[in-house]
């Protein structure tokens, strides 16, 4: 006869291994988060308001006040501006990603996921994929608003789509930074603050809103090697939005912005996904 100790507890199910299982689990988590977004539409709506305000304010308040390649016309600045607004929008989604993960941690949802036989990185991957879908929706709406205020592209559809793909890749890379922040703080409010406080200098010390040539020397070098600037420059080239006579800086990322943008984004994904998954395992152990 077998005697079972009253203190014996069933072992937690082990996650199934393999890439296929990890992809399947990630898609399940992504679907769960997308359904949640649909059921709480105000989150998406409020996420659309800020970038639309930036487009309108920068276009009409600063348009004509900033010279781009010697051209001070509002139309020239509007075309110069839009790649920066797009890039700012996809990176500011970082704060939402961090707050969402911090909220799941705070409510104990992550611990419940951990009790299931699923790939360890699937929870974070699924969350970042769902955030990528929301970011793509925001970019589509923002592009429509930009077209209404006069923004135009001057390249073929393939290059334009490639420009948007680079922007979304940057947004996905930054969402892993948000995931790490969300796992490192105790409350969603702290995750939101922590997700935004470093984004403002990153986006403003760049070529997003003004040409980097107008900056002091030490800031200009930072801006030209900023991964954010590389994606903005790449998008401008692919959209055909570089004004005539605009001096391209000599820094390597500005001379080869498409390659630099891809390399920067992939590096950020590899580094911060590794750190986030490690933090997830230790935080829920």
């Amino acid at each position: 006869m077998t005697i079972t100790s009253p203190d014996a507890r069933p072992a937690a199910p082990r996650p199934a291994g393999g890439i296929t299982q990890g992809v399947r689990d990630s898609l399940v988590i992504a679907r769960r988060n997308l359904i949640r977004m649909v059921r709480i539409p105000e989150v998406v709506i409020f996420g659309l308001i800020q970038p639309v305000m930036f487009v309108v304010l920068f276009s009409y308040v600063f348009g004509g006040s900033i010279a781009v390649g010697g051209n001070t016309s509002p139309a020239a600045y509007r075309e110069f501006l839009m790649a920066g607004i797009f890039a700012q929008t996809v990176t500011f989604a970082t704060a939402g990603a961090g707050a969402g993960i911090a909220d799941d941690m705070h409510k104990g949802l992550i611990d419940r996921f951990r009790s299931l036989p699923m790939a360890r990185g699937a929870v974070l991957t699924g969350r970042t994929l769902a955030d990528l879908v929301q970011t793509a929706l925001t970019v589509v709406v923002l592009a429509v608003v930009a077209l209404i205020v006069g923004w135009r592209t001057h390249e073929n559809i393939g290059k334009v789509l490639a420009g948007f793909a680079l922007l979304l890749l940057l947004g996905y890379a930054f969402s892993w930074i948000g995931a790490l922040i969300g796992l490192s703080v105790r409350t969603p409010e702290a995750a939101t603050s922590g997700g935004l406080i470093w984004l403002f200098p990153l986006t403003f010390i760049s070529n997003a809103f003004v040409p980097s040539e107008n900056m002091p020397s030490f800031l200009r070098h930072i801006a030209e090697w900023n991964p954010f600037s590389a994606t903005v420059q790449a998008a401008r080239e692919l959209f055909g939005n570089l004004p005539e006579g605009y001096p391209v800086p000599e820094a390597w990322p500005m001379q080869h912005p498409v390659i630099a943008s891809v390399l920067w984004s992939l590096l950020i994904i590899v580094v911060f996904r590794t750190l986030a998954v490690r933090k997830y395992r230790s935080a829920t152990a």
Side-chain angles (χ1 to χ4, degrees):
M1 181 176 65
T2 303
I3 300 176
T4 304
S5 171
D7 294 331
R9 297 180 181 178
R14 293 183 178 181
I19 296 177
T20 302
Q21 179 67 30
V23 171
R24 185 183 301 115
D25 293 342
S26 298
L27 292 177
V28 169
I29 298 297
R31 180 174 179 272
R32 173 254 175 191
N33 283 285
L34 289 173
I35 292 174
R36 183 184 181 186
M37 291 176 188
V38 172
R39 292 178 178 175
I40 313 177
E42 55 267 28
V43 174
V44 179
I45 294 172
F46 291 150
L48 291 172
I49 293 176
Q50 178 178 307
V52 170
M53 289 177 59
F54 270 111
V55 171
V56 175
L57 289 175
F58 273 85
S59 296
Y60 292 105
V61 175
F62 294 104
S65 301
I66 299 176
V68 180
N71 191 338
T72 58
S73 72
Y77 180 68
R78 193 175 297 121
E79 292 196 352
F80 175 86
L81 169 72
M82 280 313 305
I85 295 291
F86 285 135
Q88 184 191 54
T89 299
V90 300
T91 53
F92 270 42
T94 300
I101 291 174
D103 186 51
D104 287 344
M105 289 284 292
H106 183 69
K107 293 178 179 177
L109 184 62
I110 298 294
D111 291 332
R112 292 197 289 272
F113 280 141
R114 194 174 186 276
S115 68
L116 300 175
M118 62 191 305
R120 287 289 178 256
V123 173
L124 301 180
T125 302
R127 175 76 204 199
T128 55
L129 288 175
D131 290 332
L132 178 62
V133 173
Q134 181 179 353
T135 301
L137 174 62
T138 303
V139 169
V140 170
V141 174
L142 191 58
V144 173
V145 174
L147 290 171
I148 292 174
V149 300
W151 172 67
R152 296 293 183 269
T153 59
H154 306 285
E155 294 288 353
N156 60 63
I157 187 65
K159 287 187 175 183
V160 172
L161 292 177
F164 282 116
L166 288 179
L167 290 165
L168 292 176
L169 180 63
L170 180 71
Y172 181 70
F174 274 51
S175 70
W176 281 106
I177 302 178
L180 180 61
I181 293 172
L183 291 168
S184 303
V185 299
R186 296 182 180 181
T187 64
E189 292 80 9
T192 301
S193 299
L196 288 175
I197 195 170
W198 59 275
L199 279 173
F200 279 102
L202 182 81
T203 55
F204 281 93
I205 305 178
S206 72
N207 61 356
F209 307 114
V210 296
S212 59
E213 62 179 4
N214 297 332
M215 299 180 180
S217 178
F218 73 98
L219 284 182
R220 184 174 70 249
H221 292 305
I222 294 174
E224 291 170 356
W225 284 89
N226 186 342
F228 184 85
S229 294
T231 300
V232 171
Q233 187 78 359
R236 285 190 181 122
E237 283 193 3
L238 293 170
F239 294 158
N241 287 159
L242 281 176
E244 185 177 353
Y246 177 74
V248 178
E250 296 181 359
W252 186 86
M254 298 296 98
Q255 292 289 328
H256 310 277
V258 175
I259 298 174
S261 175
V262 173
L263 291 178
W264 271 121
S265 295
L266 293 179
L267 178 63
I268 292 170
I269 291 172
V270 170
V271 172
F272 284 93
R273 187 185 190 280
T274 301
L275 294 175
V277 172
R278 185 178 300 172
K279 183 69 176 179
Y280 166 79
R281 289 173 174 171
S282 63
T284 58

